[in-house]
Amino acid sequence: MAIAAFIGVDSQNAGCVKIMASDIYNPYSTPDTDYAKFLFNSKYQTMRFAGIVARAYSGSGQAFTPAGTGTSNFLTFYDGYLTNIANYFIRSNAFPALEYAVPLFDIKYKDASGVVNYGARVTRYFLGFNNRSALFTTPGYGEEGWLTNFTGTGTYAFNMAQGFGTHFFNSEFAQTYKEFVVWNLPGTAVPINNPPLAPVAGQVAVEITRTACRAAKPGYDVRTATPSQLSFDSSSLPAKVVAAGDIALPSGTTVYPLTALAGVAIGQLRADVIVYQGGTIFYPTNPLSTETEYGADYQFSGANIVFSNPFGAARARFIVYALDDSSPSAGDNDVWREFNDGTRDVLQFLRPGAARPPRLSDIMVDSRWPQVRILNEGYIDVGGVNGAQQWVVPLSTGGLFPFVKYVTVHAGGSGVRLGNFSGTISSRVKAPYTVYGYYDTADAGKAYYTAGDSTYCQLTPSEARFFTFRGLPTRRYLSGGSNISNLVTENDPTPIIGIRYYILGIPA
């Protein structure tokens, strides 16, 4: 199939770059809301990474980066203080490209080999007297999140205006290696910087020459646009999605080939994965109501993503991103490249001066790689509403599979425990997790509950429905004995007040 590409002013009087999913679609007049008909459209909001910081669990002791820094001036601070448990703090200036005080983020969990990710699995976590209490949850449980104005107390007191606070739970969740992935998108009610606007007469929206290859979002002039006003540019690359899909995960191993990487050095691969059971998608987990462990691990092996499912049959909806921080290659100044990779025709927009073949870091747009579309985004004000609540966001997917990313926004407070530290914060933002627990007493038997810091999203083509449980106990466990008189009940000192969500679209 020939590639149908368009560079110019479309029927909405907007200068743009478009690549169509089929040459039967007219790039000039096809409505932008028919998302599935576009492989790329420079009029859409861009997803960009702000950076990744990685850290391996290294036992007891403390470590600061850069070398020679301490609690007053670190970028990262590691504190191993108990067997198999450590604190880790990352200041926001460890992500120099970050444009927001509080960003959208993901946390990836890996085992000792550094390749297997446990983020898409529900695991039992025992606590309290004789393991008579437990939680069923994902590894994100216990993450402190992105902290604002943390003021610590104690032996190693320090202040941090913005940044991560996290724990390594090495024994419970096999958290021997973590990656903190930060996006250049807001993680609070703050609006996105420089969203697409109405086109302005006289503006230059696209510049493709032998020395420049870039396009601005509608309403901005490509000659003066800042990185967040650009759709793509050699200095502002969009996230490169090299695979996306929704597949069956029977028990055992499932291999999914990343065929869109043919002819390209792979570089680093990352994935967002939702594992669910049944016909309805839930993230981060199905709502839990029984003692059930389910989900899958995954790893990258060559040009494949390999899922390992030790439990019952499930499905995975996923997005695979390719990253390459290497320097640009050296070659000619052809910024437009067309070829056939053996199975299909391909169109690429390249950095000026890219070699043939180009490096991954040279490729700004590739017609084999589906563009991430933000179908809907916004903020839900949970406020002070307690108990089980639902919040509905209507969707129009335009023929794409919906995919959800969200974080939960929490109030500040004093006496907040961060592992080996305590202090005050003005607010924090956490990665979502679903928590279902029980306690088993000798005199009253086993009792179950959904935790107050639990959240999840039910996702269909027509809506995203968010569930919260603010005000309910976050943990209930037995301390010092097995009778009901030994029951300890804990609540979230910084309860949820909001949800910052992004509904993405991937090819069906």
Side-chain angles (χ1 to χ4, degrees):
M1 182 190 74
I3 298 294
F6 176 85
I7 302 173
V9 178
D10 68 6
S11 60
Q12 303 300 308
N13 294 317
C16 55
V17 175
K18 298 179 180 180
I19 303 174
M20 310 308 290
S22 170
D23 57 8
I24 67 174
Y25 303 131
N26 185 337
Y28 174 79
S29 58
T30 298
D32 295 315
T33 51
D34 290 354
Y35 302 113
K37 296 179 180 179
F38 296 91
L39 295 174
F40 180 85
N41 189 335
S42 65
K43 296 169 70 175
Y44 296 151
Q45 174 64 44
T46 302
M47 296 275 292
R48 293 181 294 125
F49 289 105
I52 298 176
V53 171
R55 170 73 204 201
Y57 173 78
S58 58
S60 61
Q62 293 187 333
F64 298 90
T65 65
T69 58
T71 54
S72 64
N73 58 349
F74 68 82
L75 280 182
T76 69
F77 172 25
Y78 174 91
D79 174 44
Y81 67 98
L82 287 176
T83 302
N84 291 319
I85 299 179
N87 285 327
Y88 189 51
F89 298 94
I90 311 170
R91 282 202 169 98
S92 60
N93 50 349
F95 305 94
L98 182 60
E99 298 173 6
Y100 300 91
V102 181
L104 176 71
F105 62 85
D106 307 300
I107 304 175
K108 308 297 183 184
Y109 307 91
K110 299 186 179 181
D111 71 0
S113 65
V115 295
V116 180
N117 191 302
Y118 288 84
R121 185 200 279 198
V122 177
T123 303
R124 187 198 306 254
Y125 167 42
F126 289 105
L127 69 162
F129 178 75
N130 281 354
N131 287 343
R132 295 181 69 98
S133 308
L135 303 175
F136 291 85
T137 184
T138 54
Y141 170 77
E143 292 289 349
E144 301 301 344
W146 188 280
L147 311 176
T148 297
N149 296 324
F150 172 65
T151 301
T153 60
T155 304
Y156 302 107
F158 68 94
N159 299 334
M160 185 170 68
Q162 296 287 352
F164 274 116
T166 186
H167 299 309
F168 282 92
F169 289 101
N170 188 23
S171 55
E172 289 86 355
F173 294 115
Q175 292 179 2
T176 54
Y177 184 88
K178 290 186 182 185
E179 288 184 337
F180 305 88
V181 181
V182 172
W183 295 86
N184 251 325
L185 289 168
T188 62
V190 172
I192 295 176
N193 289 341
N194 300 312
L197 302 174
V200 177
Q203 285 183 335
V204 176
V206 182
E207 186 177 20
I208 298 180
T209 69
R210 291 180 61 82
T211 58
C213 186
R214 53 189 177 176
K217 293 186 288 189
Y220 306 97
D221 193 303
V222 73
R223 297 166 297 183
T224 57
T226 64
S228 63
Q229 295 170 346
L230 292 166
S231 176
F232 66 86
D233 176 66
S234 59
S235 62
S236 180
L237 300 178
K240 298 171 182 176
V241 178
V242 296
D246 189 296
I247 62 172
L249 288 186
S251 296
T253 299
T254 301
V255 179
Y256 185 91
L258 306 178
T259 57
L261 283 169
V264 179
I266 292 175
Q268 303 180 65
L269 298 175
R270 302 291 185 275
D272 289 334
V273 179
I274 300 174
V275 177
Y276 62 98
Q277 292 180 312
T280 303
I281 299 167
F282 289 92
Y283 173 79
T285 64
N286 284 54
L288 306 176
S289 58
T290 60
E291 295 185 41
T292 302
E293 294 182 273
Y294 84 93
D297 309 329
Y298 59 89
Q299 62 181 325
F300 293 104
S301 177
N304 301 301
I305 181 170
V306 181
F307 295 91
S308 177
N309 179 8
F311 307 113
R315 295 192 66 84
R317 181 163 291 190
F318 61 92
I319 303 175
V320 179
Y321 307 93
L323 300 90
D324 186 356
D325 295 329
S326 62
S327 59
S329 61
D332 58 34
N333 286 326
D334 291 335
V335 298
W336 175 296
R337 183 187 184 212
E338 294 183 87
F339 63 100
N340 188 287
D341 69 0
T343 61
R344 75 199 95 179
D345 292 328
V346 179
L347 170 62
Q348 293 176 333
F349 292 112
L350 306 175
R351 282 173 164 166
R356 294 293 187 274
R359 294 175 181 168
L360 182 63
S361 58
D362 295 316
I363 303 171
M364 291 180 282
V365 176
D366 188 304
S367 60
R368 296 170 296 181
W369 303 345
Q371 182 184 20
V372 181
R373 284 82 155 177
I374 299 179
L375 304 178
N376 201 323
E377 55 89 14
Y379 180 81
I380 296 171
D381 184 3
V382 174
V385 180
N386 289 333
Q389 302 291 332
Q390 301 180 28
W391 317 83
V392 178
V393 177
L395 298 181
S396 177
T397 62
L400 299 179
F401 279 150
F403 194 98
V404 62
K405 297 175 75 70
Y406 77 93
V407 288
T408 57
V409 182
H410 296 252
S414 60
V416 177
R417 292 291 304 176
L418 303 182
N420 201 26
F421 299 85
S422 63
T424 63
I425 56 175
S426 59
S427 66
R428 64 174 161 184
V429 171
K430 302 175 104 177
Y433 50 87
T434 306
V435 185
Y436 180 74
Y438 70 79
Y439 56 91
D440 185 6
T441 63
D443 47 1
K446 189 174 279 190
Y448 296 89
Y449 63 96
T450 296
D453 51 357
S454 182
T455 67
Y456 57 87
C457 175
Q458 176 183 315
L459 194 60
T460 71
S462 61
E463 69 175 29
R465 187 179 294 260
F466 294 88
F467 294 78
T468 65
F469 302 87
R470 175 190 164 98
L472 301 183
T474 54
R475 298 203 306 179
R476 308 195 79 183
Y477 59 93
L478 300 173
S479 176
S482 62
N483 295 323
I484 191 68
S485 59
N486 301 112
L487 181 64
V488 176
T489 298
E490 296 181 355
N491 292 283
D492 192 341
T494 59
I496 184 173
I497 59 173
I499 294 172
R500 185 56 159 111
Y501 65 87
Y502 296 84
I503 310 300
L504 311 180
I506 62 176

